[in-house]
Every structure is written in structure tokens, then in C-alpha cells.
Amino acid sequence: MFLPVFGFVILFSISITFGSPIETESTTNVVSLNIQNANNGQAIPSTMHGVILETNINRGDDGGLYAELIYNRAFQENGRSLDGWLTFGEGSIALSNNQSLSSALPVQMKFTLNQTSTTPSGFKNGGFYGINVQRQNYRASFFYRPSTNAHVEGGKLTIGLSDVDGSKIYGASTIDVSNAPVNVWSNFSATISVFDAAQSTQNVFFVAFPPNSKGDFEFNLISCFPPTFKNRENGVRVDIAQAFADLKPGFVRLPGGNDLEGPTIPERFIWNNTIGPLQNRPGRRGTWVGYNTEGLGIIELLTFLEDIGATPVLAVYAGYSLDGKAVPQDQLQPYIDEVINEIDFITAPADANRMGALRKHLGRSEPFVVKYVEIGNEDFFATSTYSYRWPAFYNALSQRYPNITFIATTTSSIASPPAVDDHDYQPPQFFIDNFRRYERIPRPKPKVLVGEFSTINDRDSNSLPYPTLAAAVAESIYRIGFERNSDVIIGGCYAPVLQNVQATQWTPNLIPFNASLVVKTTSYLAQRMFGANLGNIILNSTATNSTMAHESVQEGGEGDGKLGNLYFTASKRTDNNTLIVKLVSVDLNDTLVNIQIQDSTATSEGVMYILAGGPGVDPSKLSNTIDNPTAVSIITKLIWATGGKFSITVPSWSVVVVNLPL
């Protein structure tokens, strides 16, 4: 992305309607689709439809996927500040760097009660644009250091969740700090049980001192987590994680993206700054917004990918950052060594490698499986230096890791790499017009990862705040092209994916959200249909109308993957003998498709998933948004095949996926 200078029948959570075995409604277009049944064919990799998880952009990790509720928990935002923190009752707050918690977190907050307090007093935090308080347990923690002569009446602090003015306390807990040594950091934690959910997200986390307290008290790494996905410690937000999982992504590209490169070389993604105890993670200035806490570090990210069954495409820093500066050729070796240590840390056996041993020491014994590594990001902006950076990294890494496929970010200044990453941000017509793009590229390599693509403009070049139905349809045509060319396509992923709608730098995005709601956009729903219904071999298929015969269809011509405004592909899951047909229409009228499965007499019941806007609806104006998150949904119909034949209606401007046992 360009800085301004992710069983057999998949069940969706939607209602099912019943269609007749043969669609007979009147339509303008009639198409005959012949599919050749087979048990062998061009393989489709499981990585075909994926996503990118770029840290930082649109507050996608801190304030998004990362479940931490507290904003500015270690006072690193805005060049070290108290942003997000307010006091109540008596007392004041200030930054302090005296005897810091760690070198990674060099400043802390000092809460001061100059006089003996007469009312409950303390400080509060409103989270990342609100806190969603539900009936559940929250885990809170902080580091605490009292000064000489500081006094907490009764020796107990109260922590909890309340509305903004404190008139409604949803849950609270007391923490006994009476034995905390003076001028020494101690770590405290407690569970906050909430029994009454808040009606809005305008809530705060608070720490309260009882009346009759006095003195200076220092705090750092103030944290509060709701339950996390798969109950992982320091884990991810459940609803956003589930949205990822429901896509059934074949791969996830991480950690970027521009945030891999960072604003400057020192501010790049440095993997070993993202591991170990949180108090030892310094974070860094965000490439897009705010500060990267990197609480969601490399182990947490890869564990999340395992939890959703996705293959990592690991992007590694290759000596170029967004200020346009590159590491000189004679100074590259430390950066190559840094990547070797990173890959060893991730993939090496714990008992045979010092980096693997470090991973085990941090709680992960088993290596992660990494099959793809991308060297750099968007180096078509820096071809003059990628010409020496790519071979230096590739030669060293490919020799050490022969079972990993290494992906280049451009081919314009280097010899043919094993694979290359394409990025396309375009209006809808580009994806329609480029349906056959990957039919024309050289075989057998380089293979292609379409590492970022999305419709970003409408037909009049106006930027889109949310994906539209027209965008989802156009992107689905491009995706059909990926599947048809699976001999060369590793996979493709929409980008960006995550967007906190209250901290946005880029639109549109696949999964917008706020503190309490996750939106499944039209592009999300289309990708969900494709990812959840993926064959493992391509089946030959041809389409004709009344003016042509199937025998006349030529490879790459009308009837091969495309007939008029109808685009299609057929595949099969050989493990359960299931036919999958994907059809996308950009026609103004509905299309009746009569399907014949050659060499099959199957009589069975299947499912058809439909993403459409309905009659008379302009697809370029239809979006799922924060205010209207279900304007478009996937409709499910049951279909029946008799003797290897069935008919369906493909609506105008729609995406249709058929799943049928053979």
C-alpha cells in the first residue's frame, strides 16, 4: 500500500430460503455451462485467498485486534505524554523518569496527593475511543511504586470500570498494596467482574485511592484485558479475531506493509523488540498513527495465525525505510543477520539452536511453520537499491532455508526471483478488465503473490469510505482469475483489512470496527464466500449461449472463464467429492445458467450462496457501514441436481458460489 508522502458445507449465520429445483423465472440472459468432472487437474493451493495483517494502520492492532483496553498504558503516545489520562477527586498527575520501570519504558505517571485526601481520588482512562463493558471478567494489572512517607488508607486501592463520570460502577476490585516496598516497583493484578453490561461505550477504567491517603505514587504499564480469542494471555479481541477466522484465510501476510519498513531505519519493525515481558518491549513510533506498543508481538501474531488455521507469509525488513533512505551495500550484513535470527527464532528446533532455545524460554517450545518469506515491501519505490539488497538477502537466506519460498517485491531491477508480490489499488473497472491478466504472465515462474489489492475509487475516481457491492463484484472477478491461474498464483489478499473508524488513515478496508461493533463489508462477504468454498483442483468448464457451441470455445476466448458479463470457474474438493462453482455477473439483467456436469449422473442437494443488492439497486452505492452494517448480506438457497444437471439464476451485479456433492 502506498503511504500518502486474509467440513464440506460451510454454514453462515444467516437465514436459509428454499428455491425450486429448476429456476424458471424470466431473465434476459440464458447461458449453458458445461463442467468436466475429473479427479485430477490443476492444483489450487490452500493459500489462494488470504489477508494482510499490517500493524498500526487505522489503529488495527493497538486499539483494534490487540485486546488491550487501555490507551497509552505506558505513556509513550505523542512523544511521551499523559494523553488519555484524567484525574478525579483530589490529586494531580505528572510524568516522571526517576528510576524508571525499565529501559524500554523510561517514563511513568506520578499521582500526587499533596494533602490528606477527603474524598475518593485517582485517575481514569477512556480507552481507545471508548470501552465496551460487558457481563464478563476483566483482568487488570499495573506496576506500582510508592514514595517515602506515602500512605494509602487501609492499604487498598480500588480498580474498576464505570461510566465517564463515575455515577455507575459496572465492576470493581480491591488490590492490597500495603506490603509494597517503598521506592521499589511491584506488579499487581486483579479480576474485575462485571454483572451489568453498559449501554454505551463511553466508559472508563479507574484506579481510586480511599480518603485519608497522601503522598506520591508512581504507576506504569497500566493494563486491562477482556476475555481473549482462545483465551490466550496477552491475546486478541474476540469479535475481530472471529471475523478473521470466519474468512478461513489461506494465509496472512504480516507484519506489513509500510509498518515493516517504519518511518526511518531505526524505527523499522525489529522483531526482538516485540518478544518477552511487556515491560521490556520499547515499541516505536507508528508508521501511520500514534505509537506501536508492540504488545502484539511476533509470537502473539503467529499464535493467532495458528488459531485461525492460516499460513504465515512473513515479511522481513530489507534495508529500506519510508524516509527514502536505504542501508548502503557494504553495511547490509547486520540486517541480514537480524533476519536470520528472526527466522531461526520462529522456525528452529528449541534443542538445536540458540534462537529456538530463546523461543522455548519465552514459553513456546514448538517451532512455527513458515513456508513463505517476503524480502522487503514495495521496493518498486527503491529499485536502484533493491538491485543490491535483494541478492544480498536472498542469497544468504535461500541457502540457509532451502524449503522456504522467498518473495520479491518487484522484478524491475533484479533477476527472476522465485516469486513476486503484486499490489493493485484501482477502480472497479481495472479488476474487470484485468480478469485475464495472469493468463498472460510467463510460466513456470516467478510465481505471484497478490499481496495487496482492493477497489479504492468508484467509477468517477471518488474515494470510497467503505467497500461497495460493485467493488466486491469487481474484486471477485479478479479472484476468479487467481483461481483459474493457480499454477502460478500463490494467493491474493485484500488490503488494508482492519480499520478503527475513529482513527482512520486509509479507506476502504475489509473489516471496519469501533469499540463494540465489527462490520462485515461487502468485500469481506465476497471473500468469505470464496475462502470458505475452496476446491483443490480446477475443473475444465465452458459457457455458451444460443449462438455458439461448447466445441467452439477456445482457450482464452469467449466462453472460457467469461461469457459476456458473466465470469466463472469450477473446481472440486476431491476429499469429499464436492463441486464448487463460482460465478460473478456485472450484467444489468439476471442470467439463467443451465449447468451440465459431464461424466456425472449426480442427483443431490447442494447450497447456493448469493451476494446481491436486489432489483433496481445501484451496486456502486450499496455498502455495509458502521451505521448500517447489514445493508447487504449473503443469501443461502438450497439447490437440487438431477442426472448431473441443475439450473440457477445469477442476479445482476452479484457474486454466487455453488457447493454441490457429486
Side-chain angles (χ1 to χ4, degrees):
M1 132 190 353
F2 313 111
L3 271 173
V5 223
F6 344 134
F8 125 56
V9 175
I10 306 301
L11 299 178
F12 295 95
S13 300
I14 50 182
S15 61
I16 294 180
T17 61
F18 291 84
S20 59
I22 302 295
E23 296 279 0
T24 59
E25 65 184 89
S26 175
T27 56
T28 300
N29 308 309
V30 179
V31 168
S32 170
L33 178 61
N34 277 14
I35 299 170
Q36 186 67 51
N37 188 20
N39 291 316
N40 297 288
Q42 177 179 298
I44 303 173
S46 61
T47 52
M48 183 53 62
H49 304 295
V51 291
I52 185 173
L53 206 172
E54 178 171 1
T55 50
N56 187 249
I57 188 171
N58 299 325
R59 289 277 186 200
D61 55 350
D62 293 315
L65 180 64
Y66 188 36
E68 173 66 81
L69 295 176
I70 306 303
Y71 166 68
N72 198 20
R73 67 184 182 183
F75 317 104
Q76 298 160 303
E77 291 283 349
N78 298 323
R80 299 177 185 170
S81 73
L82 293 169
D83 194 29
W85 294 96
L86 297 171
T87 59
F88 59 89
E90 302 163 50
S92 62
I93 54 176
L95 288 179
S96 169
N97 59 8
N98 179 45
Q99 296 180 341
S100 59
L101 175 62
S102 67
S103 60
L105 304 181
V107 298
Q108 58 263 8
M109 178 173 68
K110 181 168 69 175
F111 178 70
T112 299
L113 289 164
N114 284 322
Q115 305 295 326
T116 300
S117 60
T118 60
T119 186
S121 303
F123 48 86
K124 58 187 179 180
N125 185 289
F128 292 87
Y129 317 101
I131 296 177
N132 185 26
V133 177
Q134 297 297 311
R135 294 182 60 184
Q136 58 193 10
N137 289 334
Y138 294 78
R139 191 66 178 166
S141 62
F142 53 77
F143 283 87
Y144 166 79
R145 184 175 67 186
S147 65
T148 303
N149 298 323
H151 171 70
V152 177
E153 182 69 11
K156 294 182 179 180
L157 303 178
T158 300
I159 63 170
L161 295 162
S162 74
D163 62 4
V164 172
D165 62 10
S167 60
K168 173 70 172 178
I169 295 178
Y170 297 104
S173 183
T174 58
I175 294 181
D176 188 341
V177 296
S178 59
N179 292 323
V182 172
N183 295 322
V184 176
W185 286 105
S186 301
N187 185 221
F188 292 93
S189 64
T191 297
I192 301 170
S193 296
V194 173
F195 300 100
D196 186 14
Q199 298 303 303
S200 81
T201 59
Q202 298 306 300
N203 306 303
V204 297
F205 170 84
F206 66 86
V207 176
F209 287 73
N212 297 315
S213 298
K214 182 181 179 181
D216 292 330
F217 312 87
E218 293 186 314
F219 292 82
N220 208 339
L221 201 57
I222 305 169
S223 175
C224 185
F225 275 80
T228 62
F229 189 67
K230 304 287 187 181
N231 295 313
R232 298 289 189 184
E233 185 178 353
N234 194 44
V236 296
R237 180 173 147 177
V238 172
D239 54 352
I240 297 177
Q242 192 61 56
F244 266 91
D246 290 345
L247 284 171
K248 298 196 179 303
F251 72 90
V252 176
R253 179 171 167 250
L254 77 164
N258 293 129
D259 203 42
L260 170 73
E261 299 162 298
T264 65
I265 293 173
E267 294 171 303
R268 69 193 184 278
F269 179 83
I270 302 175
W271 72 271
N272 51 313
N273 282 347
T274 77
I275 62 173
L278 296 179
Q279 64 267 28
N280 294 336
R281 301 187 193 185
R284 60 196 171 105
R285 179 166 63 109
T287 300
W288 292 89
V289 62
Y291 199 84
N292 263 336
T293 69
E294 292 181 332
L296 200 59
I298 194 67
I299 287 182
E300 290 86 1
L301 289 168
L302 291 171
T303 300
F304 171 55
L305 268 58
E306 278 191 341
D307 286 343
I308 63 174
T311 295
V313 174
L314 178 69
V316 297
Y317 183 75
Y320 175 81
S321 291
L322 295 170
D323 59 358
K325 295 180 180 178
V327 176
Q329 187 169 4
D330 61 357
Q331 298 175 29
L332 275 180
Q333 192 58 49
Y335 298 88
I336 296 171
D337 294 340
E338 182 178 295
V339 172
I340 289 172
N341 286 337
E342 178 180 7
I343 298 176
D344 278 359
F345 176 80
I346 293 168
T347 67
D351 58 356
N353 180 281
R354 67 182 182 88
M355 301 312 298
L358 174 60
R359 184 191 65 244
K360 180 179 180 179
H361 174 72
L362 295 175
R364 168 76 187 209
S365 297
E366 289 300 310
F368 293 96
V369 177
V370 174
K371 298 179 181 179
Y372 300 95
V373 169
E374 182 167 3
I375 298 175
N377 176 68
E378 293 188 337
D379 290 285
F380 44 76
F381 287 127
T383 56
S384 62
T385 60
Y386 202 58
S387 61
Y388 68 77
R389 291 184 290 112
W390 162 264
F393 278 86
Y394 176 68
N395 291 341
L397 298 177
S398 61
Q399 291 178 26
R400 187 175 179 89
Y401 310 103
N403 296 323
I404 291 178
T405 296
F406 290 93
I407 304 169
T409 69
T410 181
T411 58
S412 62
S413 62
I414 64 173
S416 180
V420 66
D421 181 2
D422 282 353
H423 292 184
D424 294 305
Y425 293 96
Q426 300 288 347
Q429 196 62 44
F430 171 89
F431 298 109
I432 298 170
D433 292 343
N434 282 275
F435 167 67
R436 298 196 188 278
R437 174 180 181 179
Y438 293 108
E439 295 176 18
R440 306 184 185 109
I441 67 172
R443 262 68 170 176
K445 64 178 186 179
K447 289 188 177 291
V448 177
L449 176 77
V450 186
E452 298 181 23
F453 80 96
S454 67
T455 300
I456 59 171
N457 305 75
D458 63 19
R459 63 181 62 134
D460 298 318
S461 297
N462 298 312
S463 61
L464 298 176
Y466 294 92
T468 64
L469 178 59
V473 167
E475 292 154 3
S476 297
I477 290 171
Y478 211 42
R479 288 189 184 278
I480 286 179
F482 298 166
E483 289 198 18
R484 282 169 46 84
N485 293 279
S486 58
D487 61 319
V488 72
I489 297 292
I490 296 170
C493 67
Y494 187 104
V497 172
L498 294 174
Q499 175 201 3
N500 188 319
V501 296
Q502 294 177 289
T504 299
Q505 296 83 53
W506 181 288
T507 63
N509 300 275
L510 199 68
I511 306 175
F513 60 88
N514 59 21
S516 62
L517 177 68
V518 173
V519 177
K520 316 293 180 57
T521 63
T522 54
S523 293
Y524 173 95
L525 295 175
Q527 178 170 340
R528 178 173 167 176
M529 292 165 66
F530 273 50
N533 296 279
L534 184 65
N536 64 292
I537 61 168
I538 291 287
L539 298 179
N540 292 330
S541 57
T542 57
T544 61
N545 54 30
S546 59
T547 67
M548 57 193 297
H550 287 282
E551 295 76 14
S552 66
V553 174
Q554 300 294 313
E555 184 177 351
E558 277 294 287
D560 177 28
K562 171 189 180 297
L563 182 63
N565 291 323
L566 182 70
Y567 299 78
F568 59 91
T569 188
S571 62
K572 185 177 182 179
R573 285 197 55 166
T574 56
D575 61 345
N576 57 15
N577 202 32
T578 301
L579 171 70
I580 299 167
V581 185
K582 293 170 181 170
L583 308 102
V584 181
S585 174
V586 291
D587 205 277
L588 295 177
N589 299 300
D590 294 352
T591 301
L592 176 64
V593 182
N594 299 312
I595 299 175
Q596 170 73 62
I597 309 166
Q598 301 295 323
D599 301 324
S600 174
T601 58
T603 297
S604 60
E605 179 182 279
V607 184
M608 178 169 69
Y609 305 107
I610 307 165
L611 186 68
V617 176
D618 183 349
S620 68
K621 306 298 182 184
L622 193 58
S623 297
N624 289 348
T625 68
I626 284 287
D627 296 326
N628 188 6
T630 57
V632 188
S633 60
I634 300 169
I635 303 300
T636 302
K637 289 186 177 182
L638 299 183
I639 60 170
W640 292 265
T642 303
K645 297 180 181 180
F646 63 100
S647 296
I648 61 172
T649 294
V650 178
S652 166
W653 278 88
S654 69
V655 180
V656 172
V657 175
V658 173
N659 196 309
L660 181 77
L662 294 176

